[in-house]
Amino acid sequence: MTDVNVIINEKIEKFGKERQALMPILQGIVADKNYITEDELLLVAETLDLSAADVYGTATFYTFLDVVPRGKYVIRVCKTISCHMAGKDQIIDTLEKTLSIKLGETTTDKKFTLLQANCMGWCHKGPVMLINDEVYPELTPEKAIAIIAEYIAK
Amino acid sequence: MKDKKLTKVDLIFENDGTCATTVLDKVRAMAQDDVIMEMIDSGLKGRGGAGFPTGLKWKFTKAENSFDKYIVCNADEGEPGTFKDREILDTVPEKVFVGMTIAGYSVGAKIGYLYIRAEYNFLLKKLNQKLDAFNVKIKDKGFDFTIEIRSGAGAYICGEESALFESIEGKRGEPRNKPPYPTVAGLFGKPTAINNVETLVYATMIMKYGAASFKLMGTQDSRGSKVFSVSGDTPNAGIYELELGMTVEDFVNDFGDGDTKAVQVGGASGICVPRKKFADMIIGYEGVPTGGSMMLFNSTRSMYNVLKDYLEFFAEESCGQCTPCRIGCQQLLQGIEAVKRGEKHPSYLDSLKKLAETMKLSAKCGLGQSVANPFSSIVDNFREEIIY
Ligand SMILES: Cc1cc2nc3c(=O)[nH]c(=O)nc-3n(C[C@H](O)[C@H](O)[C@H](O)COP(=O)(O)O)c2cc1C
Ligand code: SF4
Ligand code: FES
């Protein structure tokens, strides 16, 4: 993990110390640390000279800018219509059993968080899930178990 | 009018390797107004859903007197059932960059932003590499234009143009009041031409082959071809470029599974076409317009579940800024659930339809305004499935 100051400075160098640097900074923190802590939000606010409420309000608007603790691997299963018809419920059941958590929860070892999300642009190959930025289309329960096993081994 | 049959086209994904260079050289040698005239003449309308004539959008942006102007490529692609922009960016990204450059040259913009949804982060590495080379290439060719990439963070509403601008500016993605339109005051308050990924690739192809050949395809109101994202109950799910002007029936004959009872044209915010209307309904601006999402449902599907899925989507993705949409989406969802459970009389559906119509008139942006499309078309055509 990178020091949060390093991430902030890197983004400011690229995007300037203006408001438009806010999204890239928050995205950078999530990419490195999976979620943004309260202290980090305060630090970002101070650095960009914005109110803490404004930064918090912006972060919480976006589902990918998590401000609650998340595991190292955030699993997002598509729940929208085409994936629903293709069997996303079975995939979620399988993942819940495999990871011993419910939707919305994080494993005790902080490795996995299981979430649902809306259409991710793979409707012809549903059901589909994202693990962090990685896409896994055309899932079956067996495939989902195998993919999780790979991540557990990492 | 029903003379068009289903015809496959290969323009968007055509990949001859030299396209970028030939088109850029050709455009560089033309006057800005001539490029815009060619676009107007082609009849190309925006492929992101709203269908505004692209040439006119560029003309309005050029007409504004401002030192700073911007081009934005909308790659937020959040409409359920749409996945063609991902494929375009994955396979022919350079043609998207060329389209942005043509737009920039025509309107006098020096910076172009490609706003891409977070779900497509996996494309970023490749896109950035290609883009670095491309930015150098256009400088060498004498274009005063640079393209940068900005990422979304999981919000469907950021596909709405003014919400997208807010997002690039580092704010909550809440749509703005219109007017002013983006061509007058868009990104950072400056004149901005914003186009969908596919629209920009068509711009590239129109400059390559000329407006005349593009115009030969399609109909009076819907010129050219379009990329369709086909999903649901079909043996042929995938991405297809088809000439515009076919009927839903033509489409179902090719893509259906023999038991198609309805096609949702245009995604969750689009219109549900039931079997009895397949033969007369043209896919295009004269019938059902679409950003490309075509979802097929066969007789095993409950249209109640389909509508409920859509309403859940809208209730979650509503930005919450205006009351008709924030409350309306929830009430529509709770309303059909109550009718289903028998807690409300079936005639309550008519009150809900009125609510959806009110949202069309009073919601601030296209999200809230378009919920009536799926709601009324599903309730009208599949009322028994909603009630029982
Ligand atoms: C809720 C909502 C979501 C939208 N999402 C997208 C999108 O993901 N991609 C897109 O190109 N246009 C989207 N649009 C349409 C844009 O606001 C805009 O009209 C379009 O980007 C213009 O490009 P075009 O003229 O090339 O179609 C959306 C509109 C609304 C109201
Ligand atoms: S219509 Fe819905 S999405 Fe649009 S501004 Fe209003 S609340 Fe936000
Ligand atoms: S519905 Fe799941 S990716 Fe589109």
Side-chain angles (χ1 to χ4, degrees):
Chain A
M1 279 210 242
T2 321
D3 180 357
V4 67
N5 285 297
V6 174
I7 298 175
I8 295 177
N9 288 332
E10 195 184 292
K11 299 294 179 190
I12 284 178
E13 208 166 286
K14 184 152 177 222
F15 299 98
K17 210 173 174 169
E18 311 285 321
R19 173 106 201 203
Q20 48 169 308
L22 180 57
M23 288 282 286
I25 291 174
L26 297 177
Q27 286 161 334
I29 297 175
V30 171
D32 194 69
K33 304 173 192 306
N34 314 312
Y35 70 101
I36 314 163
T37 64
E38 203 177 302
D39 285 347
E40 286 160 355
L41 282 173
L42 290 170
L43 179 65
V44 173
E46 198 184 325
T47 314
L48 291 182
D49 199 16
L50 296 168
S51 81
D54 206 346
V55 172
Y56 181 77
T58 305
T60 51
F61 185 85
Y62 297 94
T63 48
F64 279 48
L65 299 179
D66 296 296
V67 293
V68 289
R70 296 292 191 215
K72 183 169 178 203
Y73 301 114
V74 179
I75 306 170
R76 291 187 164 91
V77 182
C78 174
K79 59 180 270 222
T80 310
I81 188 76
S82 293
C83 289
H84 199 167
M85 298 200 295
K88 65 98 183 163
D89 286 337
Q90 273 169 289
I91 303 301
I92 290 175
D93 278 352
T94 308
L95 291 172
E96 285 183 336
K97 288 203 186 82
T98 313
L99 299 167
S100 304
I101 50 173
K102 293 272 161 226
L103 261 184
E105 293 178 354
T106 300
T107 52
T108 43
D109 63 0
K110 307 261 187 297
K111 201 154 181 185
F112 296 97
T113 300
L114 180 62
L115 303 172
Q116 294 194 98
N118 279 320
C119 180
M120 15 187 106
W122 292 89
C123 330
H124 57 324
K125 294 192 172 166
V128 56
M129 66 178 175
L130 285 175
I131 301 185
N132 293 351
D133 287 346
E134 214 59 49
V135 188
Y136 296 92
E138 298 182 302
L139 291 173
T140 58
E142 297 73 36
K143 264 195 185 172
I145 292 171
I147 293 163
I148 296 303
E150 271 175 45
Y151 277 86
I152 289 176
K154 271 191 192 182
Chain B
M1 276 296 283
K2 279 167 51 191
D3 54 342
K4 293 287 175 187
K5 282 282 165 206
L6 187 139
T7 317
K8 292 195 173 148
V9 179
D10 181 28
L11 275 178
I12 292 285
F13 297 101
E14 178 197 275
N15 204 348
D16 66 3
T18 62
C19 174
T21 307
T22 41
V23 172
L24 288 172
D25 288 342
K26 187 168 167 184
V27 167
R28 191 73 185 84
M30 289 171 74
Q32 289 168 289
D33 286 331
D34 291 343
V35 178
I36 291 175
M37 272 318 293
E38 191 77 10
M39 292 303 297
I40 292 176
D41 189 37
S42 74
L44 175 66
K45 290 182 182 173
R47 297 302 195 229
F52 193 81
T54 307
L56 283 183
K57 191 180 275 188
W58 293 7
K59 186 179 165 184
F60 295 155
T61 313
K62 172 163 191 272
E64 288 299 313
N65 190 3
S66 168
F67 181 78
D68 294 312
K69 292 182 187 178
Y70 299 102
I71 300 299
V72 175
C73 172
N74 188 341
D76 198 56
E77 190 162 63
E79 188 64 50
T82 317
F83 40 89
K84 46 139 189 134
D85 293 340
R86 170 182 52 70
E87 188 77 6
I88 295 173
L89 287 164
D90 198 3
T91 54
V92 288
E94 206 180 29
K95 287 169 54 167
V96 180
F97 304 154
V98 173
M100 292 177 74
T101 311
I102 299 170
Y105 175 73
S106 318
V107 311
K110 293 186 179 59
I111 300 181
Y113 291 99
L114 175 78
Y115 183 90
I116 183 166
R117 65 191 309 218
E119 290 82 348
Y120 296 169
N121 275 351
F122 72 97
L123 285 173
L124 283 178
K125 200 170 157 205
K126 185 164 116 184
L127 282 178
N128 273 311
Q129 276 169 1
K130 298 241 175 205
L131 187 55
D132 287 345
F134 185 83
N135 275 328
V136 172
K137 180 170 174 167
I138 51 175
K139 289 273 145 34
D140 289 348
K141 291 194 176 296
F143 288 98
D144 184 7
F145 191 64
T146 310
I147 299 174
E148 295 183 21
I149 294 178
R150 292 291 184 275
S151 290
Y156 165 68
I157 192 57
C158 288
E160 196 281 336
E161 50 201 18
S162 62
L164 191 157
F165 300 149
E166 292 286 306
S167 182
I168 294 184
E169 292 174 16
K171 305 178 204 148
R172 292 164 64 89
E174 293 177 344
R176 302 172 182 167
N177 281 320
K178 289 183 203 172
Y181 290 98
T183 53
V184 177
L187 185 60
F188 303 116
K190 305 292 181 189
T192 304
I194 174 165
N195 283 115
N196 172 257
V197 172
E198 182 188 338
T199 312
L200 289 162
V201 177
Y202 274 122
T204 303
M205 299 321 278
I206 287 165
M207 294 319 293
K208 180 175 178 184
Y209 291 117
S213 72
F214 185 79
K215 251 193 330 197
L216 283 179
M217 292 191 295
T219 65
Q220 179 92 30
D221 283 344
S222 312
R223 294 282 183 213
S225 49
K226 161 106 202 67
V227 184
F228 290 89
S229 312
V230 184
S231 71
D233 295 314
T234 164
N236 302 315
I239 295 158
Y240 300 88
E241 185 174 9
L242 306 172
E243 182 174 350
L244 285 169
M246 71 199 139
T247 61
V248 177
E249 183 161 87
D250 292 333
F251 178 85
V252 169
N253 285 341
D254 260 49
F255 291 97
D257 60 359
D259 185 26
T260 309
K261 80 167 168 191
V263 181
Q264 178 78 15
V265 182
S269 64
I271 286 171
C272 182
V273 182
R275 188 184 286 150
K276 61 176 186 280
K277 292 188 185 155
F278 285 176
D280 300 323
M281 196 60 90
I282 292 175
I283 301 169
Y285 299 104
E286 46 275 273
V288 271
T290 171
S293 170
M294 304 291 285
M295 290 187 269
L296 294 92
F297 303 109
N298 69 21
S299 63
T300 67
R301 304 295 176 186
S302 148
M303 295 311 285
Y304 170 79
N305 287 343
V306 173
L307 180 58
K308 184 163 167 278
D309 237 74
Y310 291 160
L311 292 174
E312 281 171 356
F313 175 81
F314 288 124
E316 280 172 25
E317 297 293 343
S318 163
C319 83
Q321 191 187 183
C322 71
T323 317
C325 171
R326 182 180 65 244
I327 309 287
C329 288
Q330 291 173 5
Q331 288 303 317
L332 292 177
L333 176 59
Q334 289 168 13
I336 63 161
E337 287 173 335
V339 170
K340 191 76 174 177
R341 287 195 300 263
E343 288 164 13
K344 290 274 185 195
H345 191 268
S347 65
Y348 188 57
L349 289 175
D350 300 315
S351 311
L352 294 175
K353 268 178 62 184
K354 278 193 204 138
L355 171 60
E357 287 306 315
T358 307
M359 288 166 68
K360 190 180 249 174
L361 296 173
S362 56
K364 184 167 174 179
C365 87
L367 189 151
Q369 288 161 9
S370 59
V371 177
N373 291 340
F375 193 85
S376 297
S377 58
I378 293 178
V379 168
D380 284 345
N381 292 299
F382 298 96
R383 199 178 171 96
E384 15 7 284
E385 291 191 35
I386 307 297
I387 300 169
Y388 304 109

